[in-house]
Amino acid sequence: MTSIGANSGMVDWNLAVATATRLVRPGPEVSRDEARAVVAELRRHAKSSEEHVRGFTRMGTEETHDTPVLVVDRPGWVRANVAGFRELLKPLLEKMQERRGGGAGNAVLGAVGGKVTGVELGMLLSFLSSRVLGQYETFAPATRELPAGANGGGRLLLVAPNIVHVERELDVEPHDFRLWVTLHEETHRTQFTAVPWLRDHLEGEIQSFLAETDVDPMTMLERIREAAQSLAGGRPDAEEDDGGRSLVELVQTPAQREVLGRLTAVMSLLEGHADFVMDGVGPAVVPSVGEIREKFQQRRAKGASRLDMALRKLLGLDAKLRQYRDGERFVRAVVEECGMDGFNRVWTSPNTLPTKSEIAKPADWIARVHRKPEA
């Protein structure tokens, strides 16, 4: 395994990768030839999706799509996300490191905390790695194993075993489902490659959120432990014990709530836009899109089990489900009222992004961004 960096500090990142890789569930059974065919088809669909998404959204050009497409397995997804987390969390972990004092609790944390946190983070990633179909990863530094775009962009990850698992579980036409998934993920790639300021804006908001974190290292470690114990089955009623609050909400300050509101709005826009595009392009190129959409929505809404629902609440993944729904409604309402070009004014600058309240009331965004200047 390629080293992701030093193991000193608050999190042993290499141990997180090793733990997640060891615990990750095996993917669906496929022959070597079948696996090669799936990878090749996903690459073809990713390429064809570029043109479909550009044509429908009127965003970007062929030249802007310089970021690589990586078809990965579950451990590959874990490694990419650990690299991204490490980059994003660096300022917070440095701050927490400085707060280590000489007390007994912090002394224990200094001795073993990095390894404990690495193990528990690995447990969480092993859980998530079997659920993600695709992702546009934009924060991890470029490496030989994780190349990025020439202009500093990220990379599109397609998690092949998870796509095969879900298409079998839903009993849908595999070729249609694979194209349908890549349309969604290609939309995210288009968002970041066609809107040059989006990545830095999103990172800035995340860093603002982390900069306001006012928790001691032992408290942060305990939050991670709660999530990990839920995964292990130690707290099956976690959503009742903590009142349904997510891991993020448990460590929020008032200043963070403001930042989180803006982040929620941005993520709702990005996810809702991807769903809108996927449904808009789908009927022309995915014959069984109606069946796929219906079955996938049912799967997305119900979760796999009571434990799965508990952990989704603790990690805030139930909020992500609302983002798909609320964001798609916002995009659809604006496009119906203003057309695609009118909607695309949302990408002009951070000031034209919708607020959290505007996601719920698209007419307010239209009035603010499209209002006519006074005579």
Side-chain angles (χ1 to χ4, degrees):
M1 180 184 68
T2 302
S3 174
I4 296 178
N7 294 330
S8 61
M10 302 297 297
V11 181
D12 186 333
W13 297 105
N14 285 346
L15 186 57
V17 172
T19 300
T21 302
R22 185 176 69 252
L23 296 178
V24 71
R25 299 176 182 178
E29 291 187 9
V30 294
S31 68
R32 188 181 298 271
D33 288 343
E34 287 174 322
R36 288 199 187 100
V38 170
V39 170
E41 183 173 20
L42 288 174
R43 291 187 183 281
R44 289 195 304 272
H45 285 332
K47 184 63 178 176
S48 65
S49 292
E50 290 183 26
E51 184 175 351
H52 295 315
V53 171
R54 280 202 310 269
F56 184 80
T57 64
R58 303 176 194 171
M59 293 174 65
T61 64
E62 188 171 352
E63 288 71 30
T64 62
H65 286 64
D66 71 333
T67 55
V69 176
L70 307 178
V71 181
V72 299
D73 57 10
R74 291 168 179 174
W77 179 88
V78 167
R79 288 192 291 271
N81 277 268
V82 165
F85 289 155
R86 179 174 183 175
E87 190 71 13
L88 274 178
L89 294 177
K90 188 184 299 181
L92 172 64
L93 296 181
E94 289 175 351
K95 174 182 175 181
M96 292 171 65
Q97 183 89 22
E98 291 173 359
R99 292 188 59 172
R100 282 182 177 176
N106 283 338
V108 171
L109 180 65
V112 301
K115 291 190 179 299
V116 172
T117 309
V119 168
E120 295 183 336
L121 177 60
M123 293 173 66
L124 295 178
L125 287 170
S126 71
F127 171 84
L128 295 172
S129 69
S130 63
R131 284 156 172 76
V132 176
L133 301 182
Q135 173 188 355
Y136 186 76
E137 204 297 311
T138 185
F139 297 116
T143 63
R144 184 168 58 85
E145 294 83 6
L146 200 62
N151 297 320
R155 68 286 294 169
L156 177 61
L157 306 176
L158 297 171
V159 190
N162 295 350
I163 293 172
V164 172
H165 171 79
V166 174
E167 71 192 26
R168 291 179 178 179
E169 178 185 311
L170 298 182
D171 190 25
V172 293
E173 211 289 318
H175 307 294
D176 284 2
F177 184 74
R178 294 166 195 174
L179 177 54
W180 188 72
V181 170
T182 58
L183 287 170
H184 181 104
E185 303 306 334
E186 177 59 36
T187 303
H188 287 317
R189 185 179 178 217
T190 298
Q191 290 162 349
F192 281 93
T193 55
V195 185
W197 54 264
L198 182 58
R199 179 201 178 279
D200 289 343
H201 173 72
L202 194 58
E203 182 177 15
E205 291 284 56
I206 293 171
Q207 293 303 335
S208 295
F209 180 88
L210 295 176
E212 291 293 334
T213 297
D214 188 24
V215 295
D216 62 82
M218 292 302 289
T219 301
M220 180 66 78
L221 183 60
E222 179 59 28
R223 296 298 180 239
I224 296 176
R225 181 172 292 115
E226 287 175 0
Q229 288 175 347
S230 287
L231 174 59
R235 296 180 67 238
D237 298 321
E239 78 279 14
E240 297 172 2
D241 293 347
D242 62 26
R245 293 179 296 170
S246 73
L247 195 61
V248 169
E249 292 168 327
L250 286 169
V251 300
Q252 253 186 84
T253 66
Q256 281 179 309
R257 279 192 287 274
E258 293 185 16
V259 179
L260 189 62
R262 296 195 298 269
L263 277 170
T264 298
V266 173
M267 298 311 297
S268 296
L269 171 68
L270 299 180
E271 296 295 357
H273 184 234
D275 265 12
F276 177 78
V277 172
M278 182 169 59
D279 286 348
V281 175
V285 297
V286 182
S288 59
V289 64
E291 177 191 2
I292 291 173
R293 183 64 159 153
E294 181 180 0
K295 289 183 176 180
F296 192 78
Q297 286 286 65
Q298 292 173 354
R299 179 184 186 274
R300 178 188 276 174
K302 70 181 181 181
S305 66
R306 178 171 172 78
L307 177 60
D308 186 50
M309 292 291 286
L311 190 59
R312 274 181 14 186
K313 280 183 174 291
L314 192 58
L315 295 178
L317 299 183
D318 54 335
K320 187 175 178 66
L321 299 181
R322 290 194 299 273
Q323 288 169 8
Y324 285 109
R325 183 181 64 246
D326 297 344
E328 195 274 341
R329 279 202 295 254
F330 170 84
V331 176
R332 185 172 301 279
V334 174
V335 171
E336 288 177 355
E337 179 69 21
C338 306
M340 187 63 74
D341 291 336
F343 165 78
N344 280 341
R345 289 183 65 176
V346 78
W347 311 116
T348 304
S349 75
N351 293 329
T352 56
L353 291 172
T355 64
K356 189 176 179 181
S357 64
E358 287 171 343
I359 288 288
K361 297 181 178 179
D364 291 352
W365 180 87
I366 294 172
R368 176 172 67 87
V369 174
H370 287 271
R371 64 171 175 255
K372 296 179 181 179
E374 296 182 5

